[in-house]
Coordinates of all heavy atoms in Angstrom, one line a residue:
M28 N 12.1 -13.3 -8.9 CA 11.9 -11.9 -9.1 C 10.5 -11.6 -9.6 O 9.9 -12.3 -10.4 CB 12.9 -11.3 -10.1 CG 12.8 -9.9 -10.2 SD 14.3 -9.2 -11.1 CE 13.5 -8.1 -12.2
A29 N 9.9 -10.6 -9.1 CA 8.6 -10.2 -9.4 C 8.5 -9.6 -10.8 O 9.5 -9.0 -11.3 CB 8.0 -9.1 -8.4
T30 N 7.4 -9.8 -11.5 CA 7.3 -9.3 -12.9 C 6.4 -8.1 -12.9 O 5.4 -8.0 -12.2 CB 6.6 -10.4 -13.7 OG1 7.3 -11.6 -13.6 CG2 6.5 -10.0 -15.2
L31 N 6.9 -7.1 -13.7 CA 6.1 -5.9 -13.8 C 4.7 -6.1 -14.4 O 4.5 -7.0 -15.2 CB 6.8 -4.9 -14.8 CG 8.1 -4.2 -14.3 CD1 8.7 -3.4 -15.5 CD2 7.7 -3.3 -13.2
L32 N 3.7 -5.4 -13.9 CA 2.4 -5.5 -14.4 C 2.3 -4.7 -15.7 O 2.8 -3.6 -15.8 CB 1.4 -5.0 -13.4 CG 1.2 -5.7 -12.1 CD1 0.2 -5.1 -11.2 CD2 1.0 -7.2 -12.3
G33 N 1.5 -5.2 -16.7 CA 1.2 -4.5 -17.9 C 0.2 -3.4 -17.6 O -0.5 -3.4 -16.5
A34 N -0.1 -2.5 -18.5 CA -1.0 -1.4 -18.3 C -2.4 -2.0 -18.0 O -3.1 -1.5 -17.1 CB -1.1 -0.5 -19.5
D35 N -2.9 -3.0 -18.7 CA -4.2 -3.6 -18.5 C -4.3 -4.2 -17.1 O -5.3 -4.1 -16.4 CB -4.6 -4.6 -19.6 CG -4.8 -3.9 -20.9 OD1 -5.1 -2.7 -21.0 OD2 -4.8 -4.6 -21.9
E36 N -3.2 -5.0 -16.7 CA -3.2 -5.7 -15.4 C -3.2 -4.6 -14.3 O -3.9 -4.8 -13.3 CB -1.9 -6.5 -15.3 CG -1.9 -7.7 -16.3 CD -0.5 -8.3 -16.3 OE1 0.5 -7.6 -16.4 OE2 -0.5 -9.6 -16.1
L37 N -2.5 -3.6 -14.5 CA -2.5 -2.5 -13.4 C -3.8 -1.8 -13.3 O -4.3 -1.6 -12.2 CB -1.4 -1.5 -13.8 CG -1.3 -0.3 -12.8 CD1 -1.0 -0.8 -11.4 CD2 -0.2 0.6 -13.2
R38 N -4.4 -1.5 -14.5 CA -5.8 -0.9 -14.4 C -6.8 -1.8 -13.7 O -7.5 -1.3 -12.9 CB -6.2 -0.6 -15.9 CG -7.5 0.2 -15.9 CD -8.1 0.4 -17.3 NE -8.4 -0.9 -17.9 CZ -7.7 -1.4 -19.0 NH1 -6.8 -0.8 -19.5 NH2 -8.0 -2.6 -19.4
D39 N -6.8 -3.1 -14.1 CA -7.7 -4.0 -13.4 C -7.4 -4.1 -11.9 O -8.3 -4.2 -11.1 CB -7.6 -5.4 -14.1 CG -8.1 -5.4 -15.5 OD1 -8.8 -4.4 -15.9 OD2 -7.8 -6.4 -16.2
A40 N -6.1 -4.1 -11.5 CA -5.8 -4.2 -10.1 C -6.3 -3.0 -9.4 O -6.8 -3.1 -8.3 CB -4.3 -4.4 -10.0
L41 N -6.0 -1.8 -9.9 CA -6.4 -0.6 -9.2 C -7.9 -0.5 -9.1 O -8.4 0.1 -8.1 CB -5.9 0.6 -10.0 CG -4.4 0.9 -9.9 CD1 -3.9 2.0 -10.8 CD2 -4.0 1.2 -8.4
A42 N -8.6 -1.0 -10.1 CA -10.1 -1.0 -10.0 C -10.6 -1.8 -8.8 O -11.7 -1.5 -8.3 CB -10.7 -1.5 -11.3
G43 N -9.9 -2.8 -8.4 CA -10.3 -3.6 -7.3 C -9.7 -3.2 -5.9 O -9.9 -3.9 -4.9
L44 N -9.1 -2.0 -5.9 CA -8.5 -1.5 -4.6 C -9.1 -0.2 -4.2 O -9.4 0.6 -5.0 CB -7.0 -1.3 -4.8 CG -6.1 -2.5 -5.1 CD1 -4.7 -2.1 -5.5 CD2 -6.0 -3.4 -3.9
D45 N -9.4 -0.1 -2.9 CA -10.0 1.1 -2.3 C -9.0 2.3 -2.3 O -8.1 2.2 -1.5 CB -10.6 0.9 -0.9 CG -11.8 0.0 -0.9 OD1 -12.6 0.1 -1.9 OD2 -12.0 -0.7 0.0
G46 N -9.3 3.3 -3.0 CA -8.5 4.6 -2.8 C -7.1 4.6 -3.4 O -6.4 5.6 -3.2
W47 N -6.7 3.5 -4.1 CA -5.3 3.5 -4.6 C -5.4 4.1 -6.0 O -6.3 3.9 -6.8 CB -4.8 2.0 -4.7 CG -4.6 1.5 -3.3 CD1 -5.4 0.9 -2.5 CD2 -3.3 1.4 -2.6 NE1 -4.8 0.5 -1.3 CE2 -3.5 0.8 -1.4 CE3 -2.0 1.9 -3.0 CZ2 -2.5 0.6 -0.5 CZ3 -1.0 1.7 -2.1 CH2 -1.2 1.1 -0.8
H48 N -4.2 4.7 -6.4 CA -4.1 5.2 -7.7 C -2.6 5.1 -8.1 O -1.8 4.9 -7.2 CB -4.6 6.7 -7.8 CG -3.8 7.6 -6.9 ND1 -4.0 7.7 -5.6 CD2 -2.7 8.4 -7.2 CE1 -3.1 8.6 -5.1 NE2 -2.3 9.0 -6.1
G49 N -2.3 5.3 -9.3 CA -0.9 5.3 -9.7 C -0.8 5.0 -11.2 O -1.7 5.1 -12.0
D50 N 0.5 4.6 -11.5 CA 0.8 4.3 -12.9 C 1.8 3.1 -12.9 O 1.9 2.5 -11.8 CB 1.4 5.5 -13.6 CG 2.6 6.1 -12.8 OD1 3.3 5.3 -12.1 OD2 2.9 7.3 -12.9
G51 N 2.5 2.9 -13.9 CA 3.4 1.7 -14.0 C 4.6 1.8 -13.1 O 5.3 0.8 -12.8
T52 N 4.9 3.0 -12.5 CA 6.0 3.2 -11.7 C 5.7 3.0 -10.2 O 6.6 2.6 -9.4 CB 6.7 4.6 -11.9 OG1 5.8 5.6 -11.5 CG2 7.1 4.8 -13.3
K53 N 4.5 3.4 -9.8 CA 4.1 3.2 -8.3 C 2.6 3.4 -8.2 O 1.9 3.9 -9.0 CB 4.8 4.3 -7.5 CG 4.4 5.7 -7.9 CD 5.2 6.8 -7.2 CE 4.8 8.1 -7.7 NZ 5.7 9.2 -7.3
I54 N 2.2 2.8 -7.0 CA 0.8 3.0 -6.6 C 0.8 3.6 -5.2 O 1.7 3.3 -4.5 CB -0.1 1.7 -6.7 CG1 0.5 0.6 -5.8 CG2 -0.2 1.3 -8.2 CD1 -0.4 -0.6 -5.8
S55 N -0.3 4.4 -4.9 CA -0.3 4.9 -3.6 C -1.7 5.2 -3.1 O -2.7 5.2 -3.9 CB 0.5 6.3 -3.5 OG -0.1 7.2 -4.4
R56 N -1.8 5.3 -1.8 CA -3.1 5.6 -1.2 C -2.8 6.5 0.0 O -1.9 6.2 0.8 CB -3.8 4.3 -0.7 CG -5.1 4.6 0.1 CD -5.8 3.3 0.5 NE -7.0 3.7 1.2 CZ -7.9 2.8 1.7 NH1 -7.7 1.5 1.6 NH2 -8.9 3.3 2.4
T57 N -3.6 7.5 0.2 CA -3.5 8.4 1.4 C -4.7 8.1 2.3 O -5.9 8.1 1.8 CB -3.5 9.8 0.9 OG1 -2.3 10.0 0.1 CG2 -3.4 10.8 2.1
V58 N -4.5 8.0 3.6 CA -5.5 7.8 4.6 C -5.3 8.8 5.7 O -4.2 9.2 6.0 CB -5.5 6.3 5.1 CG1 -5.9 5.3 4.0 CG2 -4.2 6.0 5.8
T59 N -6.4 9.1 6.3 CA -6.4 9.9 7.5 C -7.0 9.1 8.6 O -8.2 8.6 8.5 CB -7.2 11.2 7.3 OG1 -6.5 12.0 6.2 CG2 -7.1 12.1 8.6
L60 N -6.3 8.9 9.7 CA -6.7 8.1 10.8 C -6.7 8.9 12.1 O -6.0 9.8 12.2 CB -5.8 6.9 11.0 CG -5.7 5.9 9.8 CD1 -4.5 4.9 10.1 CD2 -7.0 5.2 9.6
D61 N -7.6 8.5 13.0 CA -7.6 9.2 14.3 C -6.2 8.9 14.9 O -5.6 7.9 14.7 CB -8.7 8.5 15.2 CG -10.1 8.9 14.8 OD1 -10.3 9.9 14.1 OD2 -11.0 8.1 15.1
A62 N -5.8 9.9 15.8 CA -4.5 9.8 16.4 C -4.2 8.5 17.1 O -3.1 7.9 17.0 CB -4.3 11.0 17.3
D63 N -5.2 7.9 17.7 CA -5.0 6.7 18.5 C -4.9 5.5 17.6 O -4.6 4.4 18.0 CB -6.1 6.5 19.5 CG -7.5 6.4 18.9 OD1 -7.8 7.0 17.8 OD2 -8.4 5.8 19.6
R64 N -5.2 5.6 16.3 CA -5.1 4.5 15.3 C -3.9 4.5 14.5 O -3.5 3.4 13.9 CB -6.3 4.5 14.3 CG -7.6 4.1 14.9 CD -8.7 3.9 13.9 NE -8.3 2.8 13.0 CZ -8.8 2.6 11.8 NH1 -9.7 3.5 11.3 NH2 -8.5 1.6 11.0
I65 N -3.1 5.6 14.5 CA -1.9 5.7 13.7 C -0.9 4.6 14.0 O -0.4 3.9 13.2 CB -1.3 7.1 13.7 CG1 -2.2 8.0 12.9 CG2 0.1 7.1 13.1 CD1 -2.1 8.0 11.4
E66 N -0.5 4.6 15.3 CA 0.6 3.7 15.7 C 0.2 2.2 15.6 O 1.1 1.5 15.1 CB 1.1 4.0 17.1 CG 1.9 5.3 17.2 CD 3.0 5.4 16.3 OE1 3.8 4.4 16.1 OE2 3.3 6.5 15.7
P67 N -1.0 1.8 16.0 CA -1.3 0.4 15.7 C -1.3 0.1 14.2 O -0.9 -1.0 13.9 CB -2.7 0.3 16.3 CG -2.8 1.4 17.4 CD -2.0 2.5 16.8
F68 N -1.8 1.0 13.4 CA -1.8 0.8 12.0 C -0.4 0.6 11.4 O -0.1 -0.3 10.7 CB -2.5 1.9 11.3 CG -2.6 1.8 9.8 CD1 -3.3 0.8 9.2 CD2 -1.9 2.6 9.0 CE1 -3.4 0.6 7.8 CE2 -1.9 2.5 7.6 CZ -2.7 1.5 7.0
L69 N 0.5 1.5 11.9 CA 1.9 1.4 11.5 C 2.5 0.0 11.9 O 3.3 -0.6 11.2 CB 2.7 2.6 12.0 CG 2.4 3.9 11.4 CD1 3.2 5.0 12.1 CD2 2.8 3.9 9.9
G70 N 2.1 -0.4 13.1 CA 2.6 -1.7 13.6 C 2.1 -2.9 12.6 O 2.9 -3.8 12.3
Q71 N 0.9 -2.8 12.2 CA 0.4 -3.8 11.3 C 1.1 -3.7 9.9 O 1.4 -4.8 9.3 CB -1.1 -3.6 11.1 CG -1.9 -3.9 12.3 CD -3.4 -3.6 12.2 OE1 -3.8 -2.4 11.9 NE2 -4.2 -4.6 12.3
L72 N 1.4 -2.5 9.5 CA 2.2 -2.4 8.2 C 3.6 -3.0 8.4 O 4.0 -3.7 7.5 CB 2.3 -0.9 7.8 CG 1.1 -0.2 7.4 CD1 1.4 1.2 6.9 CD2 0.3 -1.0 6.3
R73 N 4.2 -2.8 9.5 CA 5.5 -3.4 9.8 C 5.4 -5.0 9.7 O 6.3 -5.6 9.2 CB 6.1 -3.0 11.1 CG 6.6 -1.5 11.0 CD 7.4 -1.1 12.3 NE 6.6 -1.0 13.4 CZ 5.9 0.1 13.8 NH1 6.0 1.2 13.0 NH2 5.2 0.1 14.9
S74 N 4.3 -5.5 10.3 CA 4.1 -7.0 10.2 C 4.0 -7.5 8.8 O 4.6 -8.5 8.5 CB 2.9 -7.4 11.0 OG 3.0 -7.1 12.4
I75 N 3.2 -6.8 8.0 CA 3.1 -7.2 6.6 C 4.4 -7.1 5.9 O 4.8 -8.0 5.1 CB 2.1 -6.3 5.9 CG1 0.7 -6.5 6.5 CG2 2.0 -6.6 4.4 CD1 -0.3 -5.4 5.9
T76 N 5.2 -6.0 6.2 CA 6.5 -5.8 5.6 C 7.4 -7.0 5.9 O 8.1 -7.5 5.0 CB 7.1 -4.5 6.1 OG1 6.3 -3.4 5.6 CG2 8.5 -4.3 5.5
R77 N 7.4 -7.4 7.1 CA 8.3 -8.6 7.5 C 7.8 -9.8 6.9 O 8.6 -10.6 6.3 CB 8.3 -8.7 9.0 CG 9.2 -7.7 9.8 CD 9.3 -8.1 11.2 NE 8.1 -8.2 12.0 CZ 7.4 -7.2 12.5 NH1 8.0 -6.0 12.5 NH2 6.3 -7.4 13.2
E78 N 6.5 -10.1 6.9 CA 5.9 -11.3 6.3 C 6.2 -11.4 4.8 O 6.6 -12.5 4.3 CB 4.4 -11.3 6.5 CG 3.7 -12.5 6.0 CD 2.2 -12.4 6.2 OE1 1.8 -11.9 7.3 OE2 1.5 -12.8 5.3
M79 N 6.1 -10.3 4.1 CA 6.2 -10.3 2.6 C 7.6 -10.0 2.2 O 8.0 -10.1 1.0 CB 5.3 -9.3 2.0 CG 3.8 -9.7 2.1 SD 2.7 -8.5 1.3 CE 3.2 -8.7 -0.5
N80 N 8.5 -9.5 3.1 CA 9.8 -9.0 2.7 C 9.7 -8.0 1.6 O 10.4 -8.0 0.6 CB 10.7 -10.1 2.3 CG 12.2 -9.7 2.3 OD1 12.6 -8.8 3.0 ND2 13.0 -10.3 1.4
H81 N 8.7 -7.1 1.8 CA 8.5 -6.0 0.8 C 8.0 -4.8 1.5 O 7.0 -4.9 2.3 CB 7.4 -6.6 -0.2 CG 7.2 -5.7 -1.4 ND1 8.2 -5.5 -2.3 CD2 6.1 -5.1 -1.9 CE1 7.8 -4.7 -3.3 NE2 6.5 -4.5 -3.0
D82 N 8.6 -3.7 1.4 CA 8.2 -2.5 2.2 C 7.7 -1.3 1.4 O 8.2 -1.1 0.3 CB 9.4 -2.1 3.1 CG 10.6 -1.7 2.3 OD1 10.9 -2.3 1.2 OD2 11.3 -0.8 2.7
P83 N 6.8 -0.6 2.0 CA 6.3 0.6 1.3 C 7.1 1.8 1.7 O 7.9 1.8 2.6 CB 4.9 0.8 2.0 CG 5.2 0.3 3.4 CD 6.1 -0.9 3.3
D84 N 6.9 2.9 0.9 CA 7.4 4.2 1.2 C 6.3 4.9 2.0 O 5.1 4.9 1.5 CB 7.8 5.0 0.0 CG 9.0 4.4 -0.7 OD1 9.9 3.9 -0.1 OD2 9.0 4.5 -2.0
L85 N 6.6 5.4 3.2 CA 5.5 6.0 4.0 C 5.9 7.5 4.1 O 7.0 7.9 4.4 CB 5.5 5.3 5.4 CG 5.2 3.9 5.4 CD1 5.3 3.3 6.8 CD2 3.8 3.6 4.8
D86 N 4.8 8.3 4.0 CA 5.0 9.7 4.2 C 3.9 10.1 5.2 O 2.7 10.1 4.9 CB 4.8 10.5 2.9 CG 5.0 12.0 3.1 OD1 5.6 12.4 4.1 OD2 4.5 12.7 2.2
R87 N 4.3 10.5 6.4 CA 3.3 10.8 7.5 C 3.3 12.3 7.8 O 4.4 12.9 8.0 CB 3.6 10.0 8.7 CG 2.6 10.3 9.9 CD 2.9 9.5 11.1 NE 2.0 9.8 12.1 CZ 2.2 9.4 13.4 NH1 3.2 8.6 13.7 NH2 1.3 9.8 14.3
D88 N 2.1 12.9 7.8 CA 2.0 14.3 8.2 C 0.8 14.3 9.3 O -0.3 14.3 8.9 CB 1.6 15.1 7.0 CG 1.5 16.6 7.4 OD1 1.9 17.0 8.5 OD2 1.0 17.4 6.5
G89 N 1.2 14.2 10.5 CA 0.2 14.1 11.6 C -0.6 12.9 11.5 O -0.1 11.8 11.6
E90 N -1.9 13.0 11.3 CA -2.8 11.9 11.2 C -3.0 11.4 9.8 O -3.8 10.5 9.5 CB -4.2 12.3 11.8 CG -4.0 12.6 13.3 CD -5.3 13.1 13.9 OE1 -6.3 13.3 13.2 OE2 -5.3 13.3 15.2
T91 N -2.4 12.0 8.8 CA -2.5 11.6 7.4 C -1.2 10.8 7.0 O -0.1 11.2 7.3 CB -2.6 12.9 6.5 OG1 -3.8 13.6 6.9 CG2 -2.7 12.5 5.1
L92 N -1.5 9.7 6.4 CA -0.4 8.8 6.0 C -0.6 8.4 4.5 O -1.6 8.0 4.1 CB -0.4 7.6 6.8 CG 0.6 6.5 6.6 CD1 2.0 7.0 7.0 CD2 0.3 5.2 7.3
T93 N 0.5 8.6 3.7 CA 0.5 8.2 2.3 C 1.4 7.0 2.2 O 2.5 7.0 2.6 CB 1.0 9.3 1.4 OG1 0.1 10.4 1.5 CG2 1.0 8.8 -0.1
I94 N 0.8 5.9 1.7 CA 1.5 4.6 1.5 C 1.8 4.5 0.0 O 0.8 4.5 -0.8 CB 0.6 3.5 1.9 CG1 0.2 3.7 3.4 CG2 1.4 2.1 1.8 CD1 -1.1 3.0 3.8
T95 N 3.0 4.4 -0.4 CA 3.4 4.2 -1.8 C 4.1 2.9 -2.0 O 5.0 2.6 -1.2 CB 4.3 5.4 -2.2 OG1 3.6 6.6 -2.0 CG2 4.7 5.3 -3.7
M96 N 3.7 2.2 -3.0 CA 4.3 0.9 -3.3 C 4.9 0.8 -4.7 O 4.4 1.4 -5.6 CB 3.2 -0.2 -3.2 CG 2.5 -0.4 -1.9 SD 3.6 -0.8 -0.5 CE 4.5 -2.2 -1.1
S97 N 6.1 0.2 -4.8 CA 6.8 0.0 -6.0 C 7.8 -1.1 -5.7 O 8.4 -1.1 -4.7 CB 7.5 1.3 -6.5 OG 8.2 1.1 -7.7
T98 N 8.1 -1.9 -6.7 CA 9.1 -2.9 -6.6 C 10.3 -2.4 -7.3 O 10.5 -2.5 -8.5 CB 8.7 -4.3 -7.2 OG1 7.5 -4.7 -6.6 CG2 9.7 -5.3 -7.0
H99 N 11.2 -1.8 -6.5 CA 12.4 -1.1 -7.1 C 13.3 -2.0 -7.9 O 13.7 -1.6 -9.0 CB 13.2 -0.4 -6.0 CG 12.4 0.5 -5.2 ND1 11.9 1.8 -5.7 CD2 11.9 0.5 -3.9 CE1 11.2 2.4 -4.8 NE2 11.2 1.6 -3.7
S100 N 13.4 -3.3 -7.5 CA 14.3 -4.2 -8.2 C 13.7 -4.5 -9.6 O 14.4 -4.9 -10.5 CB 14.5 -5.5 -7.4 OG 13.3 -6.1 -7.2
A101 N 12.4 -4.4 -9.8 CA 11.7 -4.7 -11.1 C 11.5 -3.4 -11.9 O 11.1 -3.5 -13.0 CB 10.4 -5.4 -10.8
G102 N 11.7 -2.3 -11.2 CA 11.5 -1.0 -11.9 C 10.1 -0.5 -12.1 O 9.8 0.3 -13.0
G103 N 9.2 -0.9 -11.2 CA 7.8 -0.5 -11.2 C 6.9 -1.3 -10.4 O 7.3 -1.9 -9.4
V104 N 5.6 -1.3 -10.8 CA 4.5 -2.0 -10.0 C 4.5 -3.5 -10.4 O 4.4 -3.8 -11.6 CB 3.2 -1.3 -10.2 CG1 2.1 -2.0 -9.4 CG2 3.2 0.2 -9.8
T105 N 4.5 -4.3 -9.4 CA 4.4 -5.8 -9.6 C 3.2 -6.3 -8.8 O 2.6 -5.6 -8.0 CB 5.7 -6.5 -9.2 OG1 5.8 -6.4 -7.8 CG2 6.9 -5.9 -9.9
D106 N 3.0 -7.6 -8.9 CA 2.0 -8.3 -8.1 C 2.3 -8.2 -6.6 O 1.3 -8.1 -5.8 CB 1.8 -9.8 -8.5 CG 3.1 -10.5 -8.3 OD1 4.2 -9.9 -8.5 OD2 3.1 -11.8 -8.1
L107 N 3.5 -8.0 -6.2 CA 3.8 -7.8 -4.8 C 3.2 -6.5 -4.2 O 2.7 -6.5 -3.1 CB 5.4 -7.8 -4.6 CG 6.1 -9.1 -4.6 CD1 7.6 -8.8 -4.5 CD2 5.7 -10.0 -3.5
D108 N 3.3 -5.5 -5.0 CA 2.7 -4.2 -4.6 C 1.2 -4.3 -4.5 O 0.7 -3.7 -3.5 CB 3.1 -3.1 -5.6 CG 4.6 -3.0 -5.8 OD1 5.3 -2.9 -4.8 OD2 5.1 -3.2 -7.0
V109 N 0.6 -4.9 -5.4 CA -0.9 -5.1 -5.4 C -1.3 -5.9 -4.2 O -2.2 -5.6 -3.5 CB -1.4 -5.7 -6.7 CG1 -2.9 -6.0 -6.6 CG2 -1.1 -4.7 -7.9
T110 N -0.5 -7.0 -3.9 CA -0.9 -7.8 -2.8 C -0.7 -7.0 -1.5 O -1.6 -7.1 -0.6 CB 0.1 -9.1 -2.7 OG1 -0.2 -9.8 -3.9 CG2 -0.2 -9.9 -1.5
Y111 N 0.3 -6.2 -1.4 CA 0.5 -5.4 -0.2 C -0.6 -4.4 -0.1 O -1.2 -4.2 1.0 CB 1.8 -4.6 -0.3 CG 2.3 -4.1 1.0 CD1 3.3 -4.7 1.7 CD2 1.7 -3.0 1.6 CE1 3.8 -4.2 3.0 CE2 2.2 -2.4 2.8 CZ 3.2 -3.1 3.5 OH 3.6 -2.6 4.7
A112 N -1.0 -3.8 -1.2 CA -2.2 -2.8 -1.2 C -3.4 -3.5 -0.7 O -4.2 -2.9 0.1 CB -2.3 -2.2 -2.6
R113 N -3.7 -4.7 -1.2 CA -4.9 -5.5 -0.7 C -4.8 -5.7 0.8 O -5.9 -5.6 1.5 CB -5.0 -6.8 -1.5 CG -5.5 -6.6 -2.9 CD -5.8 -8.0 -3.5 NE -6.1 -7.8 -4.9 CZ -5.5 -8.3 -5.9 NH1 -4.4 -9.0 -5.7 NH2 -5.9 -8.0 -7.2
R114 N -3.7 -6.0 1.3 CA -3.5 -6.3 2.7 C -3.8 -5.0 3.5 O -4.4 -5.0 4.6 CB -2.1 -6.8 3.1 CG -1.8 -8.1 2.4 CD -2.3 -9.3 3.1 NE -2.0 -9.4 4.5 CZ -0.9 -10.0 5.0 NH1 0.0 -10.6 4.2 NH2 -0.7 -10.0 6.3
V115 N -3.4 -3.8 3.0 CA -3.6 -2.6 3.6 C -5.1 -2.3 3.7 O -5.7 -1.9 4.7 CB -2.9 -1.4 2.9 CG1 -3.4 0.0 3.4 CG2 -1.4 -1.5 3.1
D116 N -5.8 -2.6 2.5 CA -7.3 -2.4 2.5 C -8.0 -3.3 3.5 O -9.0 -2.9 4.1 CB -7.8 -2.7 1.1 CG -7.4 -1.6 0.1 OD1 -6.9 -0.5 0.5 OD2 -7.7 -1.8 -1.1
E117 N -7.5 -4.5 3.7 CA -8.1 -5.4 4.6 C -8.0 -4.9 6.0 O -8.9 -5.0 6.8 CB -7.4 -6.8 4.6 CG -7.7 -7.6 3.3 CD -6.9 -8.9 3.2 OE1 -6.2 -9.2 4.1 OE2 -7.0 -9.5 2.1
I118 N -6.8 -4.3 6.4 CA -6.6 -3.8 7.7 C -7.5 -2.6 7.9 O -8.2 -2.5 9.0 CB -5.1 -3.3 7.9 CG1 -4.2 -4.4 7.9 CG2 -5.0 -2.4 9.2 CD1 -2.7 -4.0 7.8
L119 N -7.6 -1.7 7.0 CA -8.5 -0.5 7.1 C -9.9 -0.9 7.1 O -10.7 -0.2 7.8 CB -8.1 0.5 6.0 CG -6.8 1.1 6.1 CD1 -6.4 1.9 4.8 CD2 -6.7 2.0 7.3
G120 N -10.3 -1.8 6.3 CA -11.7 -2.2 6.3 C -12.7 -1.2 5.8 O -13.9 -1.5 5.7
T121 N -12.3 -0.1 5.4 CA -13.1 1.0 4.9 C -12.4 1.7 3.7 O -11.2 1.7 3.6 CB -13.5 2.0 5.9 OG1 -12.3 2.6 6.4 CG2 -14.2 1.4 7.1
P122 N -13.2 2.4 2.8 CA -12.6 3.2 1.8 C -11.7 4.3 2.3 O -11.9 4.7 3.5 CB -13.8 3.7 1.0 CG -14.9 2.8 1.4 CD -14.6 2.3 2.8
A123 N -10.9 4.8 1.5 CA -10.0 5.9 1.9 C -10.8 7.1 2.3 O -11.9 7.3 1.8 CB -9.1 6.3 0.8
S124 N -10.3 7.9 3.2 CA -10.9 9.1 3.7 C -10.4 10.3 2.9 O -9.4 10.2 2.3 CB -10.8 9.3 5.2 OG -9.5 9.0 5.6

């Protein structure tokens, strides 16, 4: 089982992530992508989800997508969420828009 991050660990993790914010309960990032990038990006997220057996909450409004991470079984943000967020940043390759 994943271990909850302490306040200092979470602050340090967020400092190293592009556009992510949150608290001990969840972290999230909102991105706006061109229409032709949305579906391929969602496909990449599904691949990460399968690989890690850890899934985000997604909220899509047209070309804007908010990705929210939390480890529900642990009751907040864990290293799994931070790892997923890093993978998202790698895919995007640029800061949040």
Side-chain angles (χ1 to χ4, degrees):
M28 183 167 136
T30 304
L31 287 174
L32 297 182
D35 291 340
E36 294 169 308
L37 179 58
R38 184 186 63 247
D39 292 346
L41 287 172
L44 295 169
D45 286 330
W47 289 85
H48 64 280
D50 55 28
T52 62
K53 63 186 175 194
I54 59 174
S55 61
R56 178 177 179 180
T57 300
V58 295
T59 301
L60 300 171
D61 293 335
D63 62 332
R64 285 193 62 202
I65 288 281
E66 289 305 321
F68 179 69
L69 290 172
Q71 290 174 302
L72 292 184
R73 285 189 291 274
S74 293
I75 296 170
T76 297
R77 282 190 303 273
E78 180 184 322
M79 293 183 65
N80 193 28
H81 191 59
D82 60 325
D84 291 325
L85 301 175
D86 182 21
R87 181 177 175 190
D88 183 12
E90 296 174 354
T91 301
L92 181 69
T93 299
I94 306 154
T95 302
M96 298 302 307
S97 179
T98 303
H99 303 289
S100 62
V104 179
T105 68
D106 58 331
L107 283 173
D108 304 305
V109 172
T110 299
Y111 197 105
R113 284 188 184 119
R114 299 282 303 274
V115 169
D116 286 353
E117 289 171 9
I118 292 169
L119 292 170
T121 59
S124 46

